[in-house]
Amino acid sequence: MPGWQTPARPHIAAMDRTFPPPRAAALDHLARVAPRTGTAYAARRNTDAGPDAEPTTTALSPYLRRRLLLEPEVIAAAAEAHGPDAREKFVEEVFWRTYFKGHLETHPALWSRYLDLVADGRNQLATQSGLRRVFADAVAGNTGIDGFDDWAKDLVETGWLHNHTRMWFASIWIFTLRLPWALGADFFMRHLIDGDPASNTLSWRWVAGLHTRGKAYVARADNIRRYTEGRFSPTGLDEDPVPLEENDLVRTVPLPPAGQPPQGDVALLLHLDDLNPETLDLGAARVVGIGGLLAHPPGAVDRVRHADEQAMDDALARAAARFGCPARRVEAAEDWSGGNPVVTAWAPVGPSAAALPAGCTRMRRPFDELAWPPATRGYFQVKSAIPGILRALGQP
Ligand SMILES: Cc1cc2nc3c(=O)[nH]c(=O)nc-3n(C[C@H](O)[C@H](O)[C@H](O)COP(=O)(O)OP(=O)(O)OC[C@H]3O[C@@H](n4cnc5c(N)ncnc54)[C@H](O)[C@@H]3O)c2cc1C
């Protein structure tokens, strides 16, 4: 398909914000950013020097989110570039994603609660003109808050914000503008090219003080000045906010059991949370048909939908070549499997999981099987498990 070529550049000056979806481009991107996952990453990752400066992080998230790249693969690339010690900070950050995935898997009600809160927030916007005005100014980048307005416009125009900027943005949204947090999370999910139910919902909850209860993330003007290298200097921020609270806590549920691939002929279903069919362990099953189910994040804008579609088509083409059988996009309600049992990679909580047909066999990857069980509480338990997980996967 046209428009997929990654520009060949000796150095990445500004970040390539098109995130071309095919796995070949993802691998190319990984090769180019692996040298940046060592000590320079640890030293500079909190700095957002702006869209035209050399990036301080890897921008691997659009690929990891769709599993065009796998976590063990990017961790191995970092080790190869730097050795196991210098890449430590980078690996810890990759495991933040894993932690959030495992946490949402064991607290699925946090996702349904978020969806309910988005609906509540929309009702409030419909009935409260003051709130509606503040919301409209926030998403249009028209609040007069230095930095925040640029970030709102950057997000809409490019689908991307640096991690630290996401934290400042969410904090200002919740505590200075006093807008409902779920509407901010929804604004992110619609526009982010890496929009992910677990990382996004739980990061917004974390900023609000709902994830680590009573501990909110506070955006401070001096921190913004420092880590934007003086590009922004906002005034009027609420730097002494009260963390949000919720009355009813969400219960932890056991990790649902994973399936085993059936013997004999199967139909393989691909979805947007795992577009890596070549590496799925299908045991003795023989794939005779392949379907691709597109379940975009709710309200996703065209840029995100287009990236999802390109990524899916690339995965379908790779799967067809790997298994030697036809592959095409399918609809959730369609009967496409020819009567064969349907197998799929595990879809974590979110739109793909909600769209999977009843009765399909969902198989978890060894990485998730190892890393999700300790994710029921805080990140620390996952962090302590990292060396054992990497050893079990045969990584240095
Ligand atoms: C309010 C808010 C919303 C967010 N929404 C999303 C989202 O929808 N999708 C998403 O993938 N990430 C989200 N994040 C996490 C983080 O901002 C992005 O993963 C990161 O900015 C991606 O940039 P990178 O690939 O250059 O990261 P790098 O710093 O290069 O890190 C490498 C990889 O580690 C993972 N990672 C790094 N930091 C985090 C983190 N804090 N939390 C979870 N995973 C992390 C990502 O997969 C990332 O690609 C959000 C953070 C905040 C504060």
Side-chain angles (χ1 to χ4, degrees), residues 362-378:
R362 304 191 298 158
M363 290 178 309
R364 255 194 317 264
R365 290 181 182 274
F367 182 79
D368 300 336
E369 203 69 358
L370 289 164
W372 285 355
T376 49
R377 296 170 69 83

Side-chain angles (χ1 to χ4, degrees), residues 1 28 55 58 63 67 72 77 104 129 197 213 235 277 303 334 338 371:
M1 284 213 196
D28 185 42
T58 64
Y63 299 120
R67 284 206 155 150
L104 198 60
S129 58
R213 276 162 54 212
T235 54
R303 177 191 295 106
E334 187 181 338

Side-chain angles (χ1 to χ4, degrees), residues 63-237:
Y63 299 120
L64 287 168
R65 188 263 173 266
R66 299 175 177 88
R67 284 206 155 150
L68 286 164
L69 294 173
L70 299 169
E71 292 87 336
E73 198 171 23
V74 304
I75 291 170
E80 201 175 313
H82 296 286
D85 292 338
R87 65 156 186 188
E88 191 177 352
K89 187 71 200 158
F90 173 74
V91 173
E92 285 172 13
E93 293 304 314
V94 173
F95 270 91
W96 266 102
R97 169 188 149 79
T98 311
Y99 163 65
F100 283 142
K101 295 308 272 184
H103 196 82
L104 198 60
E105 243 12 54
T106 49
H107 300 80
L110 290 175
W111 175 245
S112 40
R113 177 176 292 184
Y114 156 71
L115 294 175
D116 290 346
L117 287 173
V118 174
D120 285 354
R122 291 221 188 90
N123 287 337
Q124 289 177 48
L125 291 179
T127 54
Q128 299 175 29
S129 58
L131 188 74
R132 192 159 62 238
R133 244 188 331 270
V134 180
F135 175 83
D137 283 345
V139 298
N142 209 14
T143 63
I145 300 174
D146 195 30
F148 184 94
D149 288 349
D150 296 73
W151 303 327
K153 289 175 191 153
D154 278 357
L155 175 61
V156 171
E157 282 163 22
T158 69
W160 181 260
L161 291 177
H162 181 278
N163 177 59
H164 214 166
T165 302
R166 296 181 198 203
M167 291 159 62
W168 297 320
F169 186 97
S171 181
I172 294 170
W173 177 284
I174 297 167
F175 297 118
T176 298
L177 298 172
R178 296 179 195 279
L179 286 164
W181 73 265
L183 287 183
D186 178 61
F187 179 49
F188 269 29
M189 275 303 279
R190 286 164 185 267
H191 290 280
L192 279 175
I193 200 75
D194 64 4
D196 178 84
S199 288
N200 191 56
T201 311
L202 299 182
S203 294
W204 274 85
R205 286 179 56 87
W206 177 81
V207 170
L210 296 168
H211 186 75
T212 310
R213 276 162 54 212
K215 193 163 174 276
Y217 173 76
V218 184
R220 299 187 191 283
D222 61 350
N223 184 265
I224 294 173
R225 268 193 297 278
R226 175 174 171 197
Y227 287 105
T228 60
E229 302 186 323
R231 288 183 303 122
F232 299 117
S233 183
T235 54
L237 304 186

